[in-house]
Amino acid sequence: MKFRVSRENLLTPLQAIVGVVERRQTMPILANFLLVAEGESLTVTATDLEVELMATGGAEILEEGTVTVPGRKFLDICRALPEGTPVTVTLKGDRVTVTAARSRFTLSTLPADEFPTVDNIGAQQTLTLPQSELKRLLEKTQFAMANQDVRYYLNGLLLEVGNKRIRSVATDGHRLALCDVELEHGGNAQQQVIIPRKGVLELYRMLSDDGPDIRMSIGSNHARVEIASLRFTSKLVDGRFPEYERVIPKSQNEGLKAERDALRKALQRTAILSNEKYRGIRLELKDTTLLIQAHNPEQEEAEEQLEVEYVGSGVEIGFNVNYLLDALGALEHDQVEMQVTDANSSCIIRDPGETRCTYVVMPMRL
């Protein structure tokens, strides 16, 4: 195998896939990139057995072939080379030589046939949607995923397809985030899949607000997203996601409207003196005033008053302030709508008049 390519054309695909490579591997081959030189293109692949990323770029292929090389070392070499330098990569025996200008590096390799790849995912349906819409789905919900919860199915994001719509849902058992996007192409078949946390973070990193439409294929064990020269494949979490619609309060009579930025800043100030472990704050609604209070084991207290639009009877309710701040940060409008019933019921947070994104925060006892 031998190919020649400019430093920039080699660096771009390597940087796109390196996030999958763990620094500590149980299998040495997983620390490597798979290089495939064929036709007029070079394909590089990285995997951790859960998430696979593949990137393709143009190259001058002098001799076709495949090999695996130490991923982070190969990337570091390319980063360290001067801009605009042509790079030649040659495989001889079980060593790869990288030459550029007056630099020469020799790397160890492992056999390409030992590298685990996912070729056919057995797609049950394929969707096409704008890149920005999938990015919006992930951005609006991923913060509510659990992290290392024993309920492993919460350590990921639910994608629910059906009725020409795709929905993302994330919950850690204390709060829930939900967002919908209408589909023009595909999405008729009903299907629920859970993408693991690392897959969600890597996929989000790949997406941009502008760019070509993406093609998403969903199988029974894998989901695949193709964007131009990048291909993302993730194993699906084998578990049953909770019946999330049951935790979204149906009858909401009491509601307040407030300036989102003013509420967010008031919560941030009050949170300074909240309990560092539980992050609890108390909200007291009365007439058109929202009273926000916090205290901690050192007997320190914080209090903020905010003018709001509110119709309903007085209510006192406690929340984890971080959950409220995360939900407010995901909203887009200048105003926010919060619906609360009583001290024991969950709170719904939305942009006024908007139903595509919904955030639910469970109350806490203070």
Side-chain angles (χ1 to χ4, degrees):
M1 183 186 80
K2 186 176 182 180
F3 62 86
R4 187 178 294 120
V5 64
S6 71
R7 169 191 177 267
E8 284 67 32
N9 285 352
L10 182 56
L11 193 56
T12 300
L14 296 182
Q15 288 176 325
I17 68 168
V18 71
V20 173
V21 179
E22 299 284 357
R23 294 193 180 275
R24 293 179 181 174
Q25 295 289 0
T26 52
M27 295 168 57
I29 194 95
L30 298 182
N32 282 21
F33 290 155
L34 173 67
L35 309 182
V36 179
E38 195 173 46
E40 296 180 352
S41 64
L42 172 70
T43 301
V44 292
T45 307
T47 184
D48 66 352
L49 297 182
E50 184 177 76
V51 178
E52 176 189 279
L53 284 179
M54 179 187 290
T56 304
E60 182 187 352
I61 308 301
L62 304 172
E63 186 182 329
E64 293 188 347
T66 61
V67 72
T68 77
V69 295
R72 293 190 181 274
K73 290 177 185 175
F74 191 53
L75 174 61
D76 288 344
I77 289 169
C78 294
R79 276 185 180 144
L81 293 172
E83 289 185 18
T85 309
V87 181
T88 302
V89 178
T90 309
L91 172 63
K92 284 186 180 179
D94 62 352
R95 290 284 184 269
V96 156
T97 304
V98 181
T99 54
R102 297 185 179 184
S103 303
R104 181 173 170 274
F105 306 87
T106 303
L107 292 170
S108 62
T109 66
L110 288 170
D113 56 8
E114 292 181 10
F115 192 87
T117 57
V118 183
D119 294 321
N120 183 9
I121 67 166
Q124 296 172 358
Q125 65 175 319
T126 301
L127 326 168
T128 303
L129 70 157
Q131 204 170 144
S132 58
E133 291 288 86
L134 182 59
K135 185 178 181 182
R136 172 187 164 86
L137 274 180
L138 302 184
E139 185 175 22
K140 299 295 182 186
T141 53
Q142 63 177 2
F143 63 85
M145 292 186 295
N147 190 9
Q148 297 182 327
D149 196 297
V150 291
R151 296 163 295 180
Y152 59 93
Y153 47 83
L154 298 184
N155 301 320
L157 188 86
L158 174 74
L159 286 183
E160 183 178 83
V161 182
N163 303 321
K164 305 287 282 185
R165 181 201 71 190
I166 183 167
R167 167 178 285 179
S168 62
V169 185
T171 179
D172 60 6
H174 304 288
R175 39 113 176 243
L176 178 142
L178 176 153
C179 192
D180 288 339
V181 164
E182 300 298 319
L183 293 172
E184 290 185 21
H185 307 288
N188 290 318
Q190 297 283 343
Q191 200 169 3
Q192 276 194 349
V193 296
I194 305 172
I195 298 180
R197 181 184 184 85
K198 183 174 180 179
V200 173
L201 300 178
E202 282 300 322
L203 179 56
Y204 180 72
R205 199 170 64 88
M206 288 167 54
L207 300 169
S208 63
D209 291 320
D210 50 5
D213 285 1
I214 65 158
R215 189 166 177 265
M216 177 183 284
S217 307
I218 303 174
S220 55
N221 297 313
H222 294 86
R224 174 166 286 167
V225 175
E226 295 170 75
I227 316 166
S229 60
L230 284 174
R231 192 183 83 178
F232 162 92
T233 308
S234 174
K235 268 189 176 180
L236 300 175
V237 176
D238 183 17
R240 185 175 178 83
F241 203 77
E243 293 182 34
Y244 63 88
E245 290 186 341
R246 292 174 59 182
V247 305
I248 303 174
K250 294 292 184 284
S251 58
Q252 289 287 342
N253 304 318
E254 319 293 312
L256 72 89
K257 279 186 183 177
E259 292 293 324
R260 181 170 73 99
D261 199 46
L263 176 57
R264 187 171 59 84
K265 288 177 178 175
L267 289 170
Q268 287 172 334
R269 288 191 295 267
T270 312
I272 294 169
L273 297 185
S274 66
N275 184 306
E276 289 183 12
K277 184 177 180 181
Y278 299 108
R279 304 294 285 164
I281 56 150
R282 176 181 283 106
L283 303 184
E284 185 178 337
L285 270 167
K286 198 171 184 182
D287 299 326
T288 59
T289 301
L290 173 64
L291 184 65
I292 308 170
Q293 296 174 312
H295 57 84
N296 59 32
E298 287 78 42
Q299 306 299 315
E300 297 166 331
E301 295 182 357
E303 185 175 295
E304 287 267 348
Q305 285 193 13
L306 198 66
E307 289 296 310
V308 297
E309 295 178 36
Y310 178 65
V311 178
S313 54
V315 62
E316 283 188 43
I317 189 167
F319 290 110
N320 180 313
V321 68
N322 290 349
Y323 297 165
L324 295 181
L325 288 170
D326 284 343
L328 291 172
L331 299 178
E332 297 174 349
H333 290 205
D334 291 336
Q335 285 208 315
V336 59
E337 190 174 270
M338 293 178 65
Q339 296 179 332
V340 291
T341 305
D342 54 52
N344 300 312
S345 300
S346 296
C347 164
I348 288 184
I349 302 173
R350 285 191 181 119
D351 283 318
E354 177 68 69
T355 57
R356 288 202 303 171
C357 291
T358 300
Y359 302 96
V360 180
V361 180
M362 290 178 63
M364 66 184 293
R365 296 185 184 277
L366 294 175

